[in-house]
Amino acid sequence: MATQHTPLSAAVSSIEIEVARLSAMQAQGHHQATLDATSVLLASHPQNRDLLLIAAMALRHLQRTGDALAMLDRIAADHPNFSLMWQERGLCHVALRDAGNAIAGLQTAVNINPALPLAWRMLDGLYRMTGDMANAAIAAGHGAHLASLPPPVLWAKTLFGNGQIDQAEQTVREFLLKHGDHPEAMRLLAQIGFGHKVFDDAEMLYAGMLAMVPDHHEARHEYVETLIARHKFADARRALAPLLALDPASIAFRTQAATIAIGLGEHEAAIALYRTMLDEIADDPQAGLSIADFNLWMGHALKTVGRLSEAISAYDRALYLRPNFGEAWWSLANLKTYRFSDDQIAAISGGESDPATAPVDRVHLAFALGKGLEDRGDYAGSWAAYARGNAARHAEGTYRPEMLETLASDYRRVATLAFFADRADWGRPDRDPIFVLGLPRSGSTLIEQILASHSMVEGTQELPDIHNIVQHLQGRELDHDNPVYPAVLADIDHATVERFACQYLTDTRPYRIMGRPYFIDKMPNNFRHIGLIHLILPKATIIDARRNPMDCCFSNLKQLFAQGQEFTYGIEDIARYYRTYLDLMRHWDAVLPGRVLRVINEDLIDDPEGQIRRMLDHCGLPFEQACLNFHQTSRSVRTPSSEQVRRPVNRDGVDQWKPYAQWLGPLRDALGDALETWRA
């Protein structure tokens, strides 16, 4: 598995050596000596969790249980999810003959890290002692399972549960290389891959494991989650079916079923699932957070199908349960047509400034406040809020503008006129796909809504399937400085191109639930891959949605995306991205003349009928009045513009940047001559 995290260092720090030495001393029963030596090291490393844990264990063995619990409190201040701290807390309460707190501590430990044999053994005994035979059986089962594992696999699982991911990966890899396939070792490596977002490796490992042990229900549940992460929703539904047959009442399994339904465009089915589950957990006092989440998810689904008032009610219910729920506040703001009251603005502002608010909520609140203040004409306050949100999101991102610039440069070198001429008869002649691409916030949703109003065209969503092919071509060892793709296109043969075309048409079939002859793939980032698209589907339609650079870039700067689009959280990044997009589109115009239809958002607003006829001509479709009355079309729209495209064409989005002109000088400078050449 090619992970992109920092590799495990070969060097071992001196403190790690000391921790290992003290652990060995403690295992030999030298508790006072261990405590003395640990106390010396804690003077210079007062927050080292491993030293604090060793000291707490020594204090417990020396029957200084109160001091041991105080030491554990020091760990909890910085490492509240350290499973061994909770295990030791449980053992301290065992020593104090406090069964209730002992069970609570040990149960918390195994909830964080299930690979703790001692904790399970103690829980088995404690549950039996208190007469809870059902939970005793569960604990005994977990203990027996762990006892059956090879020691290296058990150790790797313990490391993984404690957040020591690199060490866990190294340990389990060494075991697999030495002993071959082992289901739990493969599962652990898949879990590590999922955590690092290396989803293709995780999928392969889970599939291999389940071929060996098809009735491993926990692994199957994780496998379904991996398929969902890869947007392989039809495969996910098939993989989930045995779990739903086994336990049709499971909230976890039905939540996955709802996510899959959303992914396949079956929003009404997902809404029904959410409603049913909400009714079931409404009276559960322990389910407050999940009720808020379910209302959020249902709000998203309701918004997508245009049931706006119901969506607002769902978001309001989520906020009633979690007043600082940033994503719910942002979801209201992201309706674009919603307006906050004075009390709501105060609540958003207060939540953002509250030190107790989680960082992820604070980012959402900043963007929501920016939109709320913008609607009130408080542009200074609005810009400050957007700037805070962008700064926070930019700080946690990994975007490198050179990657797109390298791709554009490599495409100019590889995808020449001669390259396409030599492959003129390659690919499949299917005309079904209509690719609408460009930058986010460029008017692509409006174009999609217009075309999807035609009786022969089906709107789907931003499909990941071209990107999946690119990932396959790129390979697992991604070298950001010297990428394999797109240069590898020169090395693939006619049969491979044909296979990719078939793969795309097959994988997108589940999204075409209306059975119309044409469908829209509205993934904006596909502008990077027009060469590949033309190679595999030379008859497919391609439309470039383009918008004035100041409006487009500013609109991206004030948009918080659910995932990806990391280039939108900084002025320099979005300006470079826009300029590189222009450069790459000029290349496609030069080597594939007439292949891409450019639709300028401002032209579409000024002359809707003329531009709609132009688009339909390019698609080879007859004009239909429904395309001009697109706002009357009832369909699912999943992008931030969902409510805007349910209104007639208007100029609300034109020159939106101008009230912010005094803060956008750096954007104008960074865009440079793109301000003059963007239409070309």
Side-chain angles (χ1 to χ4, degrees):
M1 179 177 62
T3 57
Q4 298 175 29
H5 57 287
T6 304
L8 180 65
S9 172
V12 179
S13 70
S14 59
I15 195 65
E16 290 174 312
I17 294 171
E18 286 300 311
V19 166
R21 181 180 69 82
L22 291 168
S23 296
M25 185 187 302
Q26 191 166 62
Q28 295 169 4
H30 305 307
H31 302 302
Q32 186 61 56
T34 299
L35 180 61
D36 293 341
T38 304
S39 298
V40 173
L41 287 169
L42 280 171
S44 55
H45 300 83
Q47 294 179 298
N48 184 282
R49 72 172 193 181
D50 298 319
L51 291 174
L52 289 167
L53 180 65
I54 291 170
M57 293 170 68
L59 287 164
R60 173 172 58 83
H61 282 291
L62 293 168
Q63 299 184 2
R64 295 170 56 185
T65 311
D67 292 337
L69 287 168
M71 194 70 69
L72 294 172
D73 287 340
R74 290 173 60 182
I75 300 176
D78 294 321
H79 306 281
N81 294 318
F82 184 28
S83 64
L84 294 179
M85 178 270 292
W86 285 104
Q87 175 177 273
E88 185 59 28
R89 191 180 290 278
L91 295 175
C92 285
H93 286 293
V94 169
L96 294 171
R97 301 184 182 277
D98 181 352
N101 281 320
I103 289 172
L106 293 166
Q107 192 64 57
T108 301
V110 296
N111 287 342
I112 296 169
N113 181 3
L116 297 175
L118 174 59
W120 286 118
R121 288 198 302 272
M122 295 302 296
L123 280 169
D124 181 15
L126 287 164
Y127 280 130
R128 290 179 188 280
M129 184 180 73
T130 57
D132 188 346
M133 303 310 293
N135 275 319
I138 293 172
H142 281 287
H145 170 67
L146 294 176
S148 72
L149 296 178
V153 177
L154 177 58
W155 177 236
K157 287 173 73 70
T158 302
L159 290 168
F160 177 73
N162 285 329
Q164 296 166 275
I165 309 301
D166 288 332
Q167 297 94 318
E169 181 176 349
Q170 183 182 44
T171 301
V172 75
R173 280 189 177 283
E174 289 173 354
F175 174 83
L176 286 168
L177 285 171
K178 194 171 186 178
H179 298 282
D181 290 346
H182 181 281
E184 282 299 330
M186 294 168 68
R187 179 190 176 197
L188 177 57
L189 199 55
Q191 290 171 327
I192 293 170
F194 186 91
H196 287 306
K197 299 185 178 181
V198 188
F199 298 126
D200 53 346
D201 277 7
E203 179 188 349
M204 178 186 67
L205 287 160
Y206 278 125
M209 178 203 171
L210 289 169
M212 300 165 65
V213 282
D215 293 331
H216 197 307
H217 305 313
E218 291 179 347
R220 181 171 292 277
H221 180 64
E222 294 163 7
Y223 178 48
V224 172
E225 206 62 31
T226 303
L227 292 170
I228 289 172
R230 296 204 72 195
H231 297 268
K232 300 176 78 169
F233 298 110
D235 291 341
R237 176 170 283 173
R238 285 189 289 271
L240 179 61
L243 296 179
L244 281 172
L246 181 73
D247 186 2
S250 166
I251 293 291
F253 299 159
R254 284 187 289 165
T255 299
Q256 286 186 322
T259 303
I260 291 166
I262 291 287
L264 291 172
E266 301 166 4
H267 296 89
E268 294 293 352
I271 291 166
L273 273 170
Y274 288 141
R275 286 200 191 283
T276 301
M277 289 187 282
L278 275 168
D279 288 342
E280 293 173 4
I281 64 177
D283 297 325
D284 182 356
Q286 305 299 317
L289 292 181
S290 61
I291 293 175
D293 289 329
F294 275 116
N295 274 296
L296 178 78
W297 302 332
M298 187 163 70
H300 293 341
L302 289 163
K303 168 196 170 183
T304 300
V305 297
R307 292 160 62 178
L308 189 58
S309 62
E310 293 176 80
I312 292 170
S313 295
Y315 294 142
D316 284 343
R317 287 193 295 272
L319 288 168
Y320 175 78
L321 293 162
R322 288 172 58 185
N324 284 354
F325 194 175
E327 189 174 353
W329 283 117
W330 169 244
S331 297
L332 287 170
N334 202 30
L335 294 173
K336 306 306 182 188
T337 56
Y338 186 85
R339 297 295 179 263
F340 291 119
S341 68
D342 292 347
D343 288 344
Q344 288 175 314
I345 291 290
I348 296 169
S349 180
E352 190 204 357
S353 60
D354 185 348
T357 300
V360 64
D361 287 314
R362 188 172 289 113
V363 171
H364 283 85
L365 288 163
F367 278 94
L369 183 61
K371 177 63 167 64
L373 295 177
E374 178 182 1
D375 291 335
R376 291 164 169 253
D378 180 358
Y379 300 116
S382 171
W383 177 253
Y386 285 139
R388 291 193 299 273
N390 276 307
R393 183 53 69 91
H394 190 272
E396 66 188 27
T398 58
Y399 176 66
R400 296 175 54 187
E402 308 84 37
M403 292 175 60
L404 179 62
E405 292 163 355
T406 298
L407 181 139
S409 176
D410 287 349
Y411 249 130
R412 286 194 294 270
R413 177 173 51 83
V414 173
T416 61
L417 280 166
F419 172 88
F420 289 115
D422 290 344
R423 296 160 177 79
D425 59 344
W426 288 24
R428 286 184 59 91
D430 301 66
R431 298 178 178 271
D432 307 27
I434 300 173
F435 292 93
V436 179
L437 41 77
L439 264 68
R441 313 298 297 148
S442 63
S444 57
T445 304
L446 174 59
I447 292 173
E448 178 197 37
Q449 179 76 355
I450 289 168
L451 294 176
S453 300
H454 197 284
S455 62
M456 298 175 67
V457 181
E458 181 168 359
T460 57
Q461 54 185 282
E462 296 179 355
L463 303 179
D465 300 276
I466 291 296
H467 179 67
N468 290 342
I469 295 172
V470 171
Q471 281 191 313
H472 176 84
L473 287 167
Q474 181 63 64
R476 292 174 181 164
E477 297 292 340
L478 178 58
D479 182 346
H480 292 294
D481 298 316
N482 188 27
V484 172
Y485 173 87
V488 69
L489 291 178
D491 301 324
I492 62 175
D493 58 20
H494 185 285
T496 302
V497 168
E498 184 84 8
R499 177 166 55 83
F500 285 148
C502 292
Q503 175 185 327
Y504 176 85
L505 294 168
T506 299
D507 290 350
T508 55
R509 177 63 60 180
Y511 300 98
R512 303 175 62 181
I513 58 179
M514 300 175 73
R516 292 180 176 180
Y518 299 91
F519 72 98
I520 302 168
D521 181 339
K522 202 190 76 66
M523 176 61 74
N525 297 336
N526 280 340
F527 80 85
R528 307 173 188 176
H529 312 301
I530 288 175
L532 171 63
I533 291 170
H534 177 75
L535 197 60
I536 67 174
L537 295 162
K539 302 297 184 182
T541 300
I542 304 175
I543 297 175
D544 169 27
R546 190 169 297 185
R547 185 181 181 190
N548 175 291
M550 289 298 293
D551 270 331
C552 186
C553 292
F554 172 67
S555 187
N556 276 283
L557 286 168
K558 64 176 187 167
Q559 181 66 43
L560 177 59
F561 292 93
Q563 60 184 352
Q565 316 297 23
E566 290 187 345
F567 59 88
T568 65
Y569 299 112
I571 283 177
E572 180 65 27
D573 287 345
I574 184 62
R576 284 179 69 173
Y577 194 92
Y578 192 100
R579 290 174 63 88
T580 307
Y581 150 74
L582 291 183
D583 289 343
L584 190 51
M585 293 309 300
R586 290 186 190 109
H587 174 71
W588 300 132
D589 289 342
V591 298
L592 297 169
R595 185 71 177 84
V596 179
L597 178 71
R598 180 155 304 115
V599 178
I600 303 295
N601 183 61
E602 290 76 5
D603 293 347
L604 182 55
I605 291 169
D606 291 338
D607 178 22
E609 181 169 349
Q611 292 298 315
I612 288 170
R613 288 184 179 277
R614 180 169 166 261
M615 283 191 288
L616 293 176
D617 285 346
H618 186 70
C619 297
L621 294 168
F623 177 79
E624 290 184 357
Q625 188 66 28
C627 295
L628 194 57
N629 298 327
F630 63 88
H631 54 284
Q632 299 173 0
T633 300
S634 177
R635 56 177 291 270
S636 300
V637 184
R638 301 177 57 146
T639 70
S641 303
S642 60
E643 293 312 307
Q644 292 163 307
V645 300
R646 293 188 171 107
R647 296 182 294 154
V649 167
N650 59 78
R651 299 185 60 81
D652 289 354
V654 177
D655 291 337
Q656 276 192 346
W657 67 274
K658 287 189 174 179
Y660 295 83
Q662 62 181 300
W663 301 286
L664 293 178
L667 177 60
R668 289 194 297 272
D669 293 342
L671 284 167
D673 63 359
L675 294 170
E676 307 300 328
T677 64
W678 66 277
R679 280 179 169 270

